[in-house]
Amino acid sequence: MIQNKELKMDEEPPQNIPKWFWVIAGSALIWNLMGLVIFYGETFQQEALIVGFEPDQQEWMRSTPRWIYVVFGFSVGTGILGSLLLLAKKKTSLPLFLVSFIAVLIQMIYTMLIAGGLEVMGPSGAIMPCVVIFLAAAWLGFAFQFLRKGWLGP
């Protein structure tokens, strides 16, 4: 049975946090910062990014509605904040990772399924969206486990 060791408001997390906590938290930050770079490129440098694409793929990229980029930015922003708070051992990282995960799901479901991304990009185009969904879920799961272990404080 897993015990919930959630800390009281005035308690600090224990100092005996394993090194792999820092590896995971640092990896989450690096991943989300890479997402910020991709977000910037897709939002502000789209034409340069799609030069090597097939004409139907270019048209598909150009037809992506602006609200998807807002969702994309929201997922990256909450992911970065969640990562920084995880590195600071704060339990508020958990709701930020949850919001980031939900935003990732909205973005990927729309672009790949509703907007026809799988048809245009082909089956290999599903690899990166699956990796993004998996990692967003992993960061959320790790934050949840870290909270349950009592490693995150107020």
Side-chain angles (χ1 to χ4, degrees):
M1 183 173 190
I2 297 175
Q3 241 182 343
N4 187 349
K5 298 178 185 176
E6 191 169 329
L7 302 172
K8 305 268 188 276
M9 282 299 282
D10 58 345
E11 289 182 308
E12 286 296 316
Q15 298 305 313
N16 57 348
I17 294 174
K19 290 179 183 174
W20 59 268
F21 169 93
W22 302 108
V23 170
I24 289 170
S27 297
L29 180 60
I30 291 167
W31 174 259
N32 282 292
L33 288 172
M34 290 185 334
L36 180 62
V37 171
I38 294 167
F39 170 75
Y40 177 82
E42 285 192 25
T43 306
F44 301 107
Q45 303 292 322
Q46 188 178 69
E47 291 304 314
L49 279 175
I50 65 175
V51 164
F53 286 17
E54 297 294 324
D56 60 334
Q57 294 172 333
Q58 290 181 0
E59 185 53 40
W60 176 74
M61 285 289 294
R62 288 184 190 112
S63 70
T64 302
R66 283 284 155 211
W67 69 267
I68 280 296
Y69 292 107
V70 171
V71 172
F72 185 3
F74 202 67
S75 72
V76 169
T78 55
I80 290 170
L81 287 174
S83 300
L84 290 170
L85 288 169
L86 191 60
L87 283 165
K89 300 182 288 185
K90 301 294 183 187
K91 67 182 178 181
T92 50
S93 63
L94 185 65
L96 288 167
F97 281 128
L98 177 61
V99 170
S100 180
F101 176 67
I102 291 168
V104 163
L105 285 178
I106 291 168
Q107 176 194 2
M108 297 306 169
I109 289 170
Y110 177 82
T111 57
M112 299 314 290
L113 300 176
I114 296 170
L118 283 177
E119 292 174 26
V120 175
M121 301 305 269
S124 64
I127 295 171
M128 192 51 132
C130 289
V131 169
V132 171
I133 291 168
F134 172 79
L135 286 175
W139 308 139
L140 175 61
F142 281 124
F144 179 74
Q145 287 304 314
F146 296 160
L147 178 65
R148 290 188 53 111
K149 289 180 181 291
W151 296 345
L152 304 179

